[in-house]
């Protein structure tokens, strides 16, 4: 988003922690002023910071765009913005609901400041219609909510070396289902693995399953399941992939599976679309349109639902290519940043005009 704000002629500053901020990622943000703060406590994204420095940054800008609202940094920026009467928008990107992890801490945070960050925003951005009710639960009026989905940059998905990916991660030449994301409960990798095990053990299929993503506390459990179900030779845990490896993973995969238990809108579904890879996703991902355009299949967020979806794809592999083409066409027509960024610009202009 920040790159395309710059392309649209705006000056853009990104204030963030240094977690995961590699030199490659900074280089990709050409033209963006990136201010990376060293992290004191990674578990809670608490950075080292100067209140005066943050205040100077807030003073120098016209409008603030908060991504998420849980972090300490967002709370500090919010406090300064309110004191300086600077307008801001907030985009939780699916993070408003409580989940098992840190539920008590998040409830306390909301009582202290979180609710105010959301309610006092000049604009609230929902990345899918499913998120509107979540804003309402925070006390936000509907007229404050704008639906602006995630975007995708096709230029990031140009390097294609499928065989290189297979060799690097020892996948072999078998067709495979790809999971792309953190291995944590909300993303549902356990649901997908159990569904895959059921299909594999009941049918003689040649598909493999590749989990690409960092461990979010479920890796030992997933490995145990694959060994107990005797599918260890067909399941691959390759860890985090980024850059060229990530692009090549999408192109090499026959199908992307998104088994999330809860998600406002899945960015990986757009990434798969831009590479022409069909998707199997749950009805909790905020992207049910893929079934309407015949770009994939939507199933309940259960083992049975995912099992039925996999069975259908495996029994009719000829449909995968055409589904991938349909999804690619739809994503190009509706979700490239060149189109999405205009919606942000309209919202910013409306707020600035109202506050002038």
């Amino acid at each position: 988003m920040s790159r395309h704000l710059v392309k649209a002629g705006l000056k853009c500053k990104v204030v963030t922690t240094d977690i995961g901020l590699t030199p490659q990622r900074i280089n990709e943000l050409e033209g963006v002023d990136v201010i990376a703060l060293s992290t004191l406590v990674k578990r809670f994204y608490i950075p080292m910071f100067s209140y005066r420095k943050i205040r100077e940054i807030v003073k120098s800008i016209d409008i603030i765009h908060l991504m998420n609202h849980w972090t300490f940094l967002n709370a500090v920026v919010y406090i300064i913005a309110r004191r300086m009467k600077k307008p801001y928008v907030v985009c939780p990107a699916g993070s408003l609901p409580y989940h098992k992890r840190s539920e008590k801490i998040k409830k306390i945070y909301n009582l202290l400041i979180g609710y105010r960050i959301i309610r006092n925003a000049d604009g609230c951005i929902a990345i899918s219609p499913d998120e509107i009710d979540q804003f309402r639960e925070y006390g936000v009026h509907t007229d404050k909510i704008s639906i602006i989905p995630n975007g995708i940059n096709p230029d990031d998905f140009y390097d294609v070396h499928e065989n290189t990916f297979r060799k690097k991660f020892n996948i072999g030449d078998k067709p495979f289902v790809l999971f792309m994301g953190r291995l944590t409960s909300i993303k549902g990798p356990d649901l997908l693995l159990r569904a895959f095990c059921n299909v594999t053990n009941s049918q003689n299929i040649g598909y493999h399953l590749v989990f690409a993503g960092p461990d979010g506390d479920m890796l030992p459990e997933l490995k145990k399941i694959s060994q107990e179900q005797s599918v260890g030779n067909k399941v691959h845990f390759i860890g985090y992939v980024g850059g060229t490896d990530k692009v090549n993973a999408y192109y090499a995969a026959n199908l992307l599976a998104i088994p999330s238990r809860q998600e406002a809108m899945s960015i990986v579904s757009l990434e798969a679309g831009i590479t022409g890879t069909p998707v199997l996703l749950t009805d909790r991902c905020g992207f049910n349109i893929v079934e309407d355009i015949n770009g994939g299949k939507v199933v309940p967020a259960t083992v049975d639902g995912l099992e039925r979806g996999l069975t259908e794809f495996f029994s009719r592999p000829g449909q995968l290519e055409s589904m991938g083409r349909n999804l690619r066409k739809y994503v190009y027509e509706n979700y490239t940043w060149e189109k999405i960024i205009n919606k942000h610009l309209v919202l910013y202009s409306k707020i600035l005009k109202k506050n002038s």
Side-chain angles (χ1 to χ4, degrees):
M1 184 182 72
S2 59
R3 280 188 295 174
H4 285 81
L5 286 173
V6 171
K7 285 183 179 180
L10 279 68
K11 292 182 179 179
C12 185
K13 294 184 178 182
V14 172
V15 183
T16 180
T17 65
D18 61 355
I19 296 176
L21 197 62
T22 62
Q24 179 184 354
R25 295 188 73 180
I26 294 177
N27 290 336
E28 289 173 351
L29 296 175
E30 184 179 357
V32 180
D33 184 6
V34 181
I35 302 161
L37 306 177
S38 299
T39 306
L40 280 176
V41 183
K42 288 188 176 181
R43 173 67 178 83
F44 298 106
Y45 296 88
I46 298 178
M48 294 178 60
F49 75 102
S50 162
Y51 184 88
R52 192 171 85 176
K53 182 178 179 181
I54 299 297
R55 189 178 185 280
E56 289 174 354
I57 294 170
V58 172
K59 184 179 179 180
S60 70
I61 55 85
D62 296 306
I63 190 167
I64 299 163
H65 186 119
L66 295 180
M67 290 301 301
N68 207 320
H69 82 291
W70 294 116
T71 69
F72 181 82
L73 180 57
N74 278 342
V76 172
V77 171
Y78 162 76
I79 291 170
I80 296 173
R82 291 287 285 176
R83 288 176 179 174
M84 300 183 72
K85 297 183 178 179
K86 291 282 186 176
Y88 73 95
V89 301
V90 61
C91 178
S95 68
L96 289 178
Y98 297 123
H99 300 293
K100 290 182 180 180
R101 191 181 184 192
S102 304
E103 181 177 349
K104 292 182 180 179
I105 295 174
K106 287 184 174 181
K107 285 183 177 179
I108 294 171
Y109 177 90
N110 265 351
L111 290 173
L112 292 174
I113 196 169
Y115 283 125
R116 283 181 287 153
I117 294 176
I118 300 298
R119 291 170 182 166
N120 292 331
D122 295 271
C124 294
I125 298 175
I127 60 174
S128 79
D130 293 351
E131 210 169 7
I132 292 176
D133 286 341
Q134 296 170 13
F135 274 116
R136 286 174 177 160
E137 290 175 4
Y138 274 67
V140 177
H141 292 293
T142 305
D143 58 3
K144 253 191 182 184
I145 305 170
S146 301
I147 300 176
I148 306 178
N150 286 321
I152 192 78
N153 184 22
D155 292 342
D156 293 338
F157 293 84
Y158 62 88
D159 204 1
V160 187
H161 297 287
E162 298 178 31
N163 291 332
T164 300
F165 173 82
R166 288 177 174 277
K167 289 179 181 178
K168 182 174 181 177
F169 296 101
N170 298 313
I171 307 299
D173 59 359
K174 296 291 185 180
F176 70 87
V177 177
L178 176 67
F179 170 96
M180 182 71 73
R182 196 156 51 95
L183 303 180
T184 189
S185 177
I186 195 170
K187 298 292 186 180
D190 54 317
L191 301 179
L192 175 62
L193 178 56
R194 291 188 183 280
F196 179 81
C197 291
N198 291 346
V199 176
T200 299
N201 290 331
S202 63
Q203 305 173 34
N204 186 23
I205 63 168
Y207 280 81
H208 284 218
L209 175 60
V210 175
F211 286 98
D215 181 23
D217 67 18
M218 291 198 76
L219 182 58
E221 176 187 344
L222 296 173
K223 286 185 174 180
K224 182 179 179 181
I225 293 172
S226 64
Q227 293 302 320
E228 289 177 345
Q229 296 295 318
S230 302
V231 297
N233 63 326
K234 289 188 175 183
V235 179
H236 310 262
F237 299 96
I238 65 175
Y240 170 79
V241 294
T244 301
D245 286 337
K246 183 178 182 180
V247 174
N248 291 335
Y250 283 118
Y251 279 109
N254 297 82
L255 174 70
L256 176 74
I258 312 168
S260 297
R261 289 180 166 93
Q262 183 66 53
E263 197 156 350
M265 181 186 171
S266 172
I267 188 65
V268 295
S269 60
L270 300 184
E271 294 175 343
I274 217 73
T275 61
T277 306
V279 296
L280 168 65
L281 73 167
T282 69
D283 54 10
R284 308 303 299 274
C285 293
F287 203 50
N288 291 359
I289 189 69
V290 299
E291 193 160 277
D292 297 334
I293 63 165
N294 196 29
K297 186 171 179 59
V298 180
V299 297
T302 62
V303 173
D304 288 343
L306 289 161
E307 183 179 345
R308 289 196 301 271
L310 290 174
T311 299
E312 181 175 328
F313 278 118
F314 294 160
S315 63
R316 298 172 57 200
Q319 67 183 326
L320 293 176
E321 188 174 340
S322 62
M323 281 185 165
R325 286 197 303 268
N326 293 338
L327 183 57
R328 187 172 189 270
K329 182 176 183 292
Y330 182 76
V331 170
Y332 261 96
E333 290 176 349
N334 296 277
Y335 290 96
T336 60
W337 271 117
E338 283 77 7
K339 294 180 173 66
I340 298 297
I341 204 65
N342 291 326
K343 297 181 180 181
H344 286 94
L345 296 177
V346 169
L347 177 61
Y348 297 158
S349 297
K350 179 181 176 182
I351 291 172
L352 289 170
K353 184 177 181 180
K354 181 179 179 182
N355 285 268
S356 62

